[in-house]
Amino acid sequence: MAAAQQLPASLRAALTYSIGVLALRRPFFHRVLDYEDEFFSLLMLVLETHSLRTTDASFSESLYGLRRRGVNVKVKKEDSRSVSGDGIQHRGLAKHQKVLSVVFLVVLPYFKSKLHAIYNKEREARLQASLWGDDNERFNDAEIYDVRGDLVPTRTLRVEASVRERVMNKFQKIVGACYPWLHASSEGLSFTYQLLYLLDATGFYSLGLQVIGVHVCRATGQELMDTSSRISKIRSHERERLRGPPWLKAIQGGILTCMYTMLDYAQTGLIAAVFFFKMMEWWYQSAEERMSAPTVYPPPPPPPPPKVAKEGIPLPPNRTICPLCSEKRANPSVVTVSGFVFCYTCIFKYVSQYKRCPITLMPANVDHIRRLFHDM
């Protein structure tokens, strides 16, 4: 059910990406991208109507072997046909259920997409106004010259604003204020129904299915065979309804055959496009994860120890002995320029006086002395 619900969004992303690539060489496809919502809604309207008519399922549900069945809660005792164990009678989809299914599958998502676009536009306008100020506020006291050179105040231009623009501005403000609450309510209801469906507390996966009175179930083998025979019967019946002379019937039959063939190829091509898009998305996402994942490298080998200067103090054979006082180190401290360890008092006096490391004679000062809290 989750995969069937997410398939239209994946299909839209795949089509938008493909058309965007084609638009790089064919500017005509930019017009399709300008009306992306209308183009995709029209495509889904054709696919969903054809699928509900032939298979009693939506386009994505038929792909995953699901079928929609009408529900009658009130079951007569005399009629025990197709009654499930939960006391619910399943039957085929009625005409109004198919129409409502198209509304919930195509029309409502279209309006939601348009409201989301209006909300994003209004939010960008608010953000721009908060950063740069409103255009009306910036030009309140400004005066504009028309083509003839006459001085026209901006108040006159505001009065001449059309009623349509005012209504659209008010509508955008209302959408900007109400859409977040509507979107949150819609997502909350969707999550609640999915959780209840997962816990087997309800037989409806979404609120739309409950409003329509439809259960979505797995199709049996007999239903799949009935679907194929139903499709052939529908097509043969439509050919028989053709009227006119034989040559006109032949032309109309050829047109119907081409339409059905195009629908079949469109469904197959769209399914292939979705799976290809998902595969490429997974491929590039895995590659990006591999590139962005932190690689654990082995620690580099330690650098070679600095050489002891000929005129410097020799190192004692015991590493725990201070080279300056020849006694066991107390409050050990290291000189960062060389890495050798001394007593803090000894190295502080030496570096303060000579400004160098006593062993390597490298330049150093008291800021290069660090306290060690673990002495080897």
Side-chain angles (χ1 to χ4, degrees):
M1 290 295 296
Q5 188 180 21
Q6 296 173 0
L7 183 62
S10 302
L11 176 61
R12 179 169 182 170
L15 289 176
T16 303
Y17 177 77
S18 302
I19 296 174
V21 173
L22 293 176
L24 295 177
R25 294 189 176 183
R26 298 291 185 270
F28 170 77
F29 289 100
H30 283 291
R31 298 181 181 180
V32 178
L33 294 177
D34 294 337
Y35 298 95
E36 176 185 350
D37 295 331
E38 289 75 10
F39 171 75
F40 183 76
S41 298
L42 181 61
L43 176 63
M44 293 305 298
L45 179 63
V46 175
L47 292 178
E48 300 292 0
T49 304
H50 176 70
S51 181
L52 286 168
R53 182 187 178 189
T54 56
T55 63
D56 283 342
S58 67
F59 171 71
S60 56
E61 291 167 355
S62 62
L63 176 63
Y64 288 96
L66 302 175
R67 292 294 181 271
R68 294 194 170 200
R69 299 171 184 170
V71 176
N72 284 334
V73 180
K74 296 181 180 180
V75 181
K76 297 181 180 180
K77 294 183 179 180
E78 302 87 30
D79 190 6
S80 60
R81 295 173 300 174
S82 68
V83 179
S84 60
D86 53 359
I88 297 177
Q89 180 184 10
H90 296 287
R91 56 182 175 81
L93 291 181
K95 185 176 181 180
H96 72 278
Q97 290 177 331
K98 294 181 180 180
V99 174
L100 290 176
S101 297
V102 173
V103 171
F104 278 95
L105 290 171
V106 180
V107 179
L108 291 184
Y110 169 74
F111 283 110
K112 184 178 179 181
S113 178
K114 300 301 289 185
L115 289 177
H116 185 70
I118 294 174
Y119 169 72
N120 287 336
K121 185 177 180 180
E122 178 65 19
R123 186 178 61 177
E124 291 177 358
R126 289 182 181 179
L127 180 61
Q128 185 177 3
S130 63
L131 294 176
W132 305 103
D134 194 0
D135 293 340
N136 297 330
E137 296 178 357
R138 286 186 290 171
F139 299 103
N140 276 337
D141 300 329
E143 294 179 339
I144 301 176
Y145 288 88
D146 62 358
V147 179
R148 296 174 300 175
D150 298 332
L151 191 63
V152 180
T154 55
R155 294 181 181 178
T156 306
L157 296 178
R158 291 180 184 176
V159 173
E160 295 176 356
S162 63
V163 179
R164 181 181 177 183
E165 292 179 354
R166 295 179 182 178
V167 172
M168 287 301 298
N169 291 334
K170 291 182 179 179
F171 178 72
Q172 290 180 0
K173 291 181 180 179
I174 293 174
V175 172
C178 298
Y179 179 78
W181 297 98
L182 294 175
H183 181 69
S185 302
S186 174
E187 294 297 325
L189 282 175
S190 177
F191 174 76
T192 302
Y193 268 90
Q194 292 177 12
L195 182 61
L196 294 176
Y197 184 83
L198 183 64
L199 298 176
D200 203 14
T202 181
F204 301 98
Y205 186 76
S206 64
L207 178 62
L209 294 176
Q210 186 171 9
V211 171
I212 301 172
V214 169
H215 272 178
V216 180
C217 309
R218 288 188 178 274
T220 61
Q222 184 63 35
E223 288 178 342
L224 295 176
M225 295 175 63
D226 294 341
T227 299
S228 60
S229 62
R230 186 191 309 168
I231 293 174
S232 61
K233 288 181 180 179
I234 291 174
R235 295 181 179 180
S236 61
H237 179 66
E238 289 184 352
R239 291 191 183 95
E240 292 175 357
R241 292 176 57 186
L242 299 177
R243 297 179 180 179
W247 61 270
L248 182 59
K249 288 184 179 181
I251 295 176
Q252 292 175 350
I255 294 175
L256 283 177
T257 303
C258 292
M259 289 177 59
Y260 290 134
T261 305
M262 290 176 61
L263 281 175
D264 294 337
Y265 279 114
Q267 290 182 349
T268 306
L270 290 175
I271 293 170
V274 169
F275 280 105
F276 179 76
F277 176 76
K278 282 294 184 182
M279 183 188 70
M280 297 301 295
E281 184 181 16
W282 168 81
W283 178 269
Y284 284 110
Q285 185 177 3
S286 302
E288 291 177 359
E289 289 178 355
R290 289 194 300 268
M291 293 177 63
S292 61
T295 305
V296 180
Y297 296 102
K307 297 181 180 179
V308 179
K310 296 181 179 179
E311 299 179 357
I313 301 175
L315 290 173
N318 191 354
R319 299 180 60 183
T320 61
I321 300 299
C322 176
L324 292 175
C325 63
S326 300
E327 295 181 0
K328 189 173 182 178
R329 289 191 295 257
N331 195 6
S333 300
V334 63
V335 181
T336 57
V337 296
S338 62
F340 292 107
V341 183
F342 309 87
C343 297
Y344 179 76
T345 55
C346 299
I347 191 61
F348 186 83
K349 293 179 180 178
Y350 187 90
V351 171
S352 300
Q353 182 177 359
Y354 297 101
K355 306 295 183 182
R356 64 184 183 182
C357 174
I359 297 177
T360 60
L361 303 181
M362 297 174 63
N365 53 41
V366 292
D367 294 333
H368 295 147
I369 301 174
R370 295 291 184 270
R371 172 78 168 85
L372 295 180
F373 296 94
H374 179 70
D375 192 13
M376 297 296 294

